[in-house]
Amino acid sequence: MIITVTLNAAIDRSLVVPNIRLGHRHRAVEQTTLAGGKGVNVARTLKTLGQPVIATGFAGGATGTRIVEQLTRESILNDFVRIADESRTNTAIFDPTSGVQTEVNEKGPRVDARELELFQDKLLYLARGADIVVLAGSLPRNVPDTVYGDLVRELHKIGVKVYADTDGEPLRHLLKSEPDGLTPNQLEAEEIVGHEFADDEDRALAIRELLDHGVREAVMTLQDGCVAGVRHDGGASGPVGVHLLRARIDVRETVARIGSGDAFLAGMVAARYEQRDDEGALRYAVACGADATQRLGAGLVDPRQVERLVHEVEIERISLDDE
């Protein structure tokens, strides 16, 4: 099965507020409240896509109880470690008149050393029945930046593949552990390599730099698709080397972009779980991300629309000057 890890789980409130102005009173014309955090959003999409998934992480206080109850109502299997401090609540406000989305994310609860140890034991126990583990999102307070990297190394020891999506210092430490897959957006990738990207060649060079760190599959998500790189070692008489690909889909008017990257990651993981090839996995991931922009609430997709959008994704190879 697939396990998703959300150490900083939340209750996510999404509001649609036309013509929002600071300092003024507004009424939302649409709203939704869901259990959230990146790993939870990935689990929701995977469940909708018909994949076997368990969500785990930390849940604390009354908010943590709401998170677990919400997931249970959605029939998403879950096994969270209960902690003493209160889980966070996040708010996203989308203005349909301007297309601007504003997010306010709380820092999250404090987690002590004993709670972290309990979680690590739980994850390694659950992972013995898993093919893929997804580590996603920010870290709560007091959790060391090295935790994702440490978990990748332990999971690799028992033969489990690890896909990840985080940023900042946790991402830098994560790179040293050579995860199987990373899906940063452009801003996160620019932060890793230390400069901005002007075009797809710059993006492809950045992706190859991530692969040089030992990542097997690195995908930079963009509004119109992604730039991806995959290392092949020639196993089972397959191809050898690095394949760089650009996937595109027509940008459509969005309902909200919150969680579209999480749906993309879920699509990628689902495709790899089903052993789809590189192009097939990218088409499916891009289709999931694109469909998620048509819905208010993170991790929400329609599998029928995803299958339709797969056929609208165009893939091309990228060749760098030094190749």
Side-chain angles (χ1 to χ4, degrees):
M1 64 176 60
I2 302 167
I3 298 172
T4 70
V5 172
T6 315
L7 296 183
N8 213 1
I11 287 294
D12 284 347
R13 301 180 67 241
S14 299
L15 308 174
V16 177
V17 183
N19 299 305
I20 189 169
R21 291 187 295 165
L22 289 177
H24 290 255
R25 180 178 297 168
H26 300 83
R27 292 187 183 276
V29 298
E30 188 176 353
Q31 65 187 58
T32 186
T33 301
L34 293 170
K38 295 182 74 66
V40 167
N41 300 338
V42 172
R44 177 176 294 112
T45 304
L46 286 169
K47 174 66 168 58
T48 304
L49 296 175
Q51 302 298 339
V53 62
I54 294 179
T56 186
F58 292 122
T63 304
T65 299
R66 288 185 66 194
I67 291 169
V68 171
E69 290 176 347
Q70 173 81 47
L71 290 172
T72 302
R73 282 197 297 272
E74 294 181 64
S75 299
I76 298 172
L77 294 176
N78 61 87
D79 191 355
F80 280 74
V81 171
R82 298 308 300 257
I83 58 175
D85 207 5
E86 186 88 11
S87 293
R88 61 186 181 147
T89 298
N90 298 330
T91 303
I93 304 172
F94 182 73
D95 183 347
T97 57
S98 65
V100 173
Q101 181 172 288
T102 302
E103 298 178 40
V104 181
N105 293 341
E106 296 180 4
K107 292 180 66 175
R110 291 180 176 83
V111 176
D112 65 33
R114 178 57 180 160
E115 291 166 337
L116 180 57
E117 183 181 352
L118 285 171
F119 168 75
Q120 292 170 326
D121 290 344
K122 180 184 290 290
L123 176 61
L124 293 176
Y125 174 78
L126 292 173
R128 294 188 183 279
D131 295 289
I132 299 174
V133 169
V134 179
L135 307 174
S138 61
L139 301 179
R141 284 176 283 178
N142 296 357
V143 173
D145 291 335
T146 57
V147 66
Y148 282 151
D150 294 340
L151 290 174
V152 170
R153 282 183 280 269
E154 292 301 316
L155 290 163
H156 278 171
K157 288 178 183 177
I158 58 175
V160 178
K161 293 181 179 179
V162 184
Y163 280 70
D165 184 7
T166 188
D167 58 8
E169 285 304 308
L171 177 55
R172 295 186 188 281
H173 288 285
L174 179 66
L175 278 174
K176 301 174 185 177
S177 66
E178 301 185 0
D180 298 274
L182 283 178
T183 58
N185 60 33
Q186 178 162 318
L187 288 176
E188 291 163 350
E190 288 173 342
E191 183 180 354
I192 296 170
V193 301
H195 63 82
E196 296 182 353
F197 309 141
D199 52 28
D200 280 346
E201 183 170 346
D202 283 352
R203 298 182 184 104
L205 285 168
I207 288 296
R208 196 167 68 177
E209 183 173 333
L210 291 178
L211 298 179
D212 289 342
H213 277 87
V215 180
R216 180 167 296 276
E217 183 171 19
V219 186
M220 185 188 309
T221 57
L222 306 167
Q223 287 194 8
D224 67 343
C226 67
V227 175
V230 185
R231 284 193 298 116
H232 290 279
D233 57 13
S237 301
V240 179
V242 172
H243 295 174
L244 297 171
L245 301 167
R246 176 64 158 102
R248 286 187 174 86
I249 191 169
D250 289 340
V251 178
R252 59 209 66 220
E253 186 175 343
T254 64
V255 173
R257 290 199 174 276
I258 184 74
S260 60
D262 304 333
F264 179 100
L265 174 55
M268 177 63 69
V269 170
R272 290 311 197 188
Y273 183 78
E274 295 177 345
Q275 300 183 342
R276 301 194 191 194
D277 63 16
D278 295 347
E279 292 194 10
L282 289 180
R283 291 181 193 278
Y284 196 66
V286 169
C288 286
D291 186 62
T293 67
Q294 306 303 296
R295 302 165 212 291
L296 183 66
L300 300 177
V301 296
D302 182 337
R304 294 169 298 180
Q305 292 300 316
V306 168
E307 291 296 342
R308 181 181 64 80
L309 290 172
V310 163
H311 302 290
E312 299 183 20
V313 181
E314 298 179 356
I315 306 280
E316 63 180 282
R317 289 288 299 271
I318 299 176
S319 296
L320 298 176
D321 292 338
D322 59 350
E323 293 184 330

